[in-house]
Amino acid sequence: MVVKLIRCPYCGEEIELRDLYEGMEVQCTLCGAVMIYQNGKFLHLDTNEEYELEELEEEMKEEFEEEFEEEFEEDYYFEEDEY
């Protein structure tokens, strides 16, 4: 089973997709936004805004990379002693 993680375009909550098929309805558990997957895009039912799957994945990937870099710098940054 392949699981995809995307971010809600409205509140940023992580949404887990266990399946992805034409006409699939996805609802955010935090803000309640409802989107339908059709023609390779997510269509928000209230506003008719369209989002590419890659857009929602990319945003999450960038945020993860930023968090990782910050955590890495904090944990493994050593200052050189002045001699």
Side-chain angles (χ1 to χ4, degrees):
M1 174 188 303
V2 176
V3 175
K4 279 198 176 285
L5 294 174
I6 62 171
R7 293 259 182 211
C8 174
Y10 298 99
C11 69
E13 179 71 10
E14 199 173 86
I15 299 173
E16 185 177 292
L17 302 176
R18 296 184 180 266
D19 199 2
L20 190 60
Y21 54 88
E22 194 72 18
M24 179 178 168
E25 186 175 293
V26 178
Q27 183 170 9
C28 176
T29 55
L30 185 63
C31 70
V34 179
M35 297 175 285
I36 293 187
Y37 186 74
Q38 61 187 69
N39 300 326
K41 298 179 181 181
F42 284 98
L43 175 68
H44 187 262
L45 293 182
D46 291 337
T47 62
N48 288 333
E49 291 178 89
E50 292 183 342
Y51 299 94
E52 297 281 342
L53 178 61
E54 292 80 25
E55 284 178 53
L56 301 177
E57 287 178 322
E58 236 174 66
E59 290 175 9
M60 189 177 116
K61 183 179 176 185
E62 288 173 5
E63 286 179 17
F64 174 76
E65 288 174 355
E66 287 173 6
E67 288 174 12
F68 177 76
E69 287 174 4
E70 288 173 5
E71 184 177 312
F72 182 78
E73 287 174 4
E74 290 173 5
D75 292 343
Y76 300 102
Y77 179 74
F78 298 101
E79 292 185 25
E80 293 182 23
D81 293 333
E82 292 183 23
Y83 294 101

